[in-house]
């Protein structure tokens, strides 16, 4: 479970030779193709002086608040470390007690017979739905244009493209079994003249991908920690510049090497401090992108996750839930989307149900210090009365939390999650979340969870984040409530991974092993939640490339100009030099009554978003002529919370990380505008 794993990451400036190989099934030049490695050559020691790349690691690594807090407590005694390595008997007993509670709960008596409430898709139906979710339904459409398919396919890596081909082959085979005409072969699309003008575009970032992958490949798959360092905090570097499926190709190749097999030892289950080195374009969180770009992120994440599942030999079947009669209730058993739709009429910007916000707020105030919170059951009669009171009076505002027991509220929280008509992790991906427990490498577990979080619908993802933030606060008060990470994970795992709408193998087999594995996935979600709610750099690069190709797709409708385009593309294949001068950018300001204002900002190699925002505050908000701040009661002045957005060009709208290097951003998207806007005041969660 990633216990003693330690990864050494070397500089991305080093190079590694990757012999080129042709795609036999695809005539595609992928954006990142490190998977074409036939053998790993020793890295050369020659260093090239070059300008910093937008996707190169900066010197400041980014760590989540959970990891920072863990680092502060890294000097615990060995006894407390041992306690965290594996769940104790009390944790395991709590796990199965929770499972029994779910079985005996209302409507859960037929949990083992839940297959009648869901069904696996028919043969060929899964592939068809997969292609639709991945934005590739045109591949099986008879009247589709080549350009519609080439735009998305042009951004894929080799391993990702192979995953698409496997789904198409499976779909074609199912059609033949049903005596239906097969769709056009995807190779026809890759070989079309239009795709040949589009696909070479992806070569621009291939050298960077090879260098990035070289740094990953040189790190040992599982380094052994020396005896004298076993009490020191362990660290793991999390690389996001290279597609996760391509990283898995390298790790699987390394796992077959004799020296790695001899070094592998049984992992002890402790979680390391995970560091994600920042690239020069900063960290992109899920809430930083527009809805249109997030849709593309989900399509690309599905392709990469599927390729990763294929490599790790995880056979995951998607399920569809049958339509259920929605109970006459205002809070419990209501679909999340419907609950949010009603709540947004009251509070337009909320992203999580108002009832859940109120419940979590009460528990954070009165419950996190309560001993055994989440584990100690409440009174069934009081819980039933509290639920009826909330159903009748919550939206009327006649609810008093003063006399509510924290244990009753915690039980109601778990009941709310369980009684959702569809799993919080969705019927489509619940089994995939559960399958993460069978992955051995910690980094690959985190890769899979990161992609799965991106695939969740927005209401589910926001609700899950609000829940995990609360659980993290419970763990942080362990000394008072006696609930460590394992204890919280074993209690909450059945509530998330067992649902009457989807059959589960969670309770099959040896009790201890299955309970521990299920709880392990839960504790990864709690511990690394901030990391999992970010968008990997390789997906951001693919979205930018997809937008660039989409913006010029109109050029490819006229077949008569294809030769001219090919000539132009050949002439411009040499990568242009980056802008090393210090340009001056005009920044638009959309803040309050400054809607039509602009500001000039001089760029240099060290300029960051935080520098630009500091100049904006000095020039417009804190100047004597523009007293825009609001006076607080204590006499201090509060200024509006503003962010810099990148709008247009090869992105829809992107809220920028304060550490983003602006000259690299300019070179990456010279056609985009920079706009200063107020941060949205969303509801709880992300």
């Amino acid at each position: 479970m990633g216990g003693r794993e330690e990864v050494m990451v070397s500089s991305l400036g080093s190079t590694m030779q990757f012999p080129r190989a042709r795609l036999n099934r695809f005539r595609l030049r992928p954006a990142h193709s490190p998977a074409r490695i036939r053998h790993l050559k020793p890295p050369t020691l020659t260093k090239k002086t070059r300008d910093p790349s937008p996707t190169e690691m900066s010197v400041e690594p980014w760590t989540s608040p959970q990891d920072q807090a863990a680092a502060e407590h890294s000097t615990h005694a060995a006894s407390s470390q041992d306690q965290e390595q594996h769940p104790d008997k009390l944790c395991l007993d709590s796990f199965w007690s929770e499972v029994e509670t779910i079985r005996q709960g209302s409507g859960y008596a037929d949990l083992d017979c839940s297959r009648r409430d869901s069904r696996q898709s028919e043969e060929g139906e899964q592939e068809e739905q997969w292609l639709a979710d991945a934005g590739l339904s045109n591949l099986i459409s008879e009247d589709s244009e080549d350009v519609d398919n080439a735009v998305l396919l042009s951004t894929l890596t080799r391993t990702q493209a192979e995953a698409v081909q496997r789904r198409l082959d499976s779909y074609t085979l199912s059609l033949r079994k049903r005596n239906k005409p097969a769709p056009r072969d995807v190779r026809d699309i890759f070989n079309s003249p239009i795709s040949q003008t589009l696909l070479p575009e992806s070569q621009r970032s291939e050298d960077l991908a090879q260098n990035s992958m070289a740094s990953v490949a040189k790190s040992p798959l599982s380094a052994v920690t020396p005896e004298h360092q076993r009490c020191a905090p362990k660290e793991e570097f999390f690389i996001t510049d290279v597609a996760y499926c391509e990283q898995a190709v390298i790790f699987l190749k390394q796992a077959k090497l004799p020296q790695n097999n001899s070094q592998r030892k049984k992992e002890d289950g402790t979680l390391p401090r995970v560091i994600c080195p920042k690239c020069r374009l900063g960290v992109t969180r899920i809430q930083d992108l527009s809805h249109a770009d997030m849709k593309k992120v989900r399509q690309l994440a599905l392709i990469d996750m599927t390729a990763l599942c294929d490599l790790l030999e995880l056979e995951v079947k998607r399920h569809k839930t049958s339509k259920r009669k929605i109970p006459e209730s205002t809070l419990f058993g209501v679909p999340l989307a419907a609950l949010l739709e009603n709540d947004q009429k009251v509070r337009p910007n909320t992203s999580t149900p108002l009832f859940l916000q109120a419940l979590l707020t009460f528990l954070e105030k009165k419950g996190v210090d309560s001993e055994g919170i989440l584990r100690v059951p409440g009174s069934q009669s009081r819980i039933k009365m509290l639920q009826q009171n909330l159903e009748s009076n919550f939206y009327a505002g006649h609810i008093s939390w003063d006399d509510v027991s924290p244990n009753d509220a915690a039980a109601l929280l778990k009941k709310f999650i369980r009684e959702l008509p569809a799993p919080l992790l969705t019927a489509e991906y619940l089994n995939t979340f559960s399958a993460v427990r069978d992955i051995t490498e910690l980094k690959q577990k985190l890769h899979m969870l990161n992609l799965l979080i991106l695939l969740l619908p927005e209401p589910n993802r926001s609700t899950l984040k609000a829940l995990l933030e609360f659980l993290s606060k419970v763990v942080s008060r362990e000394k008072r409530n006696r609930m460590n990470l394992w204890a919280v994970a074993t209690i909450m795992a059945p509530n998330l991974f067992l649902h009457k709408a989807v059959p589960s193998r969670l309770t099959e087999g040896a009790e201890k092993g299955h309970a521990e594995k299920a709880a392990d996935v839960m504790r990864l979600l709690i511990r690394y939640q901030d990391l999992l709610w970010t968008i990997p750099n390789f997906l951001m690069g693919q979205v930018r490339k997809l937008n660039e190709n989409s913006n010029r797709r109109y050029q490819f409708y006229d077949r008569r100009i294809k030769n001219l385009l090919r000539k132009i593309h050949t002439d411009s294949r040499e990568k242009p030099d980056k802008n090393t001068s210090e340009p001056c950018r005009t920044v638009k300001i959309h803040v309050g009554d400054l809607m039509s204002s602009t500001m000039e900002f001089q760029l240099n190699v060290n300029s960051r978003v935080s520098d630009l925002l500091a100049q904006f505050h000095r020039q417009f908000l804190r100047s004597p002529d523009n007293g825009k701040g609001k006076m607080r009661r204590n006499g201090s002045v509060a200024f509006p919370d503003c962010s810099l957005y990148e709008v247009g060009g090869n992105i829809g709208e992107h809220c920028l990380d304060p550490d983003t290097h602006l000259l690299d951003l300019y070179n990456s998207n010279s056609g985009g505008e920079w706009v200063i806007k107020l941060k949205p005041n969303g509801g709880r969660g992300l």
Side-chain angles (χ1 to χ4, degrees), residues 326-347:
I326 299 177
E328 296 180 0
S329 170
T330 57
L331 299 175
F332 289 80
V334 180
L336 272 178
L339 201 57
L340 268 178
E341 184 179 354
N342 293 331
D343 288 350
Q344 287 170 352
K345 296 175 183 177
V346 180
R347 189 182 300 172

Side-chain angles (χ1 to χ4, degrees), residues 269-332:
T270 57
L271 296 180
R273 178 179 181 228
V274 172
I275 298 176
C276 182
K278 271 193 178 182
C279 78
R280 296 180 64 85
L281 293 182
V283 174
T284 302
R285 293 172 175 82
I286 290 176
Q287 68 272 22
D288 292 341
L289 283 188
S290 64
H291 290 290
D293 284 334
M294 271 306 300
K295 181 180 179 181
K296 296 168 186 174
V297 166
R298 290 185 67 184
Q299 293 172 347
L300 292 163
L302 176 59
I303 296 173
D304 196 66
M305 186 205 72
T306 305
L308 188 56
C309 284
D310 291 347
L311 288 168
L312 300 178
E313 298 180 350
L314 295 179
E315 185 178 356
V316 179
K317 296 292 185 182
R318 300 173 68 176
H319 284 81
K320 287 187 175 182
T321 56
S322 58
K323 291 186 178 180
R324 289 174 167 270
K325 182 180 178 181
I326 299 177
E328 296 180 0
S329 170
T330 57
L331 299 175
F332 289 80

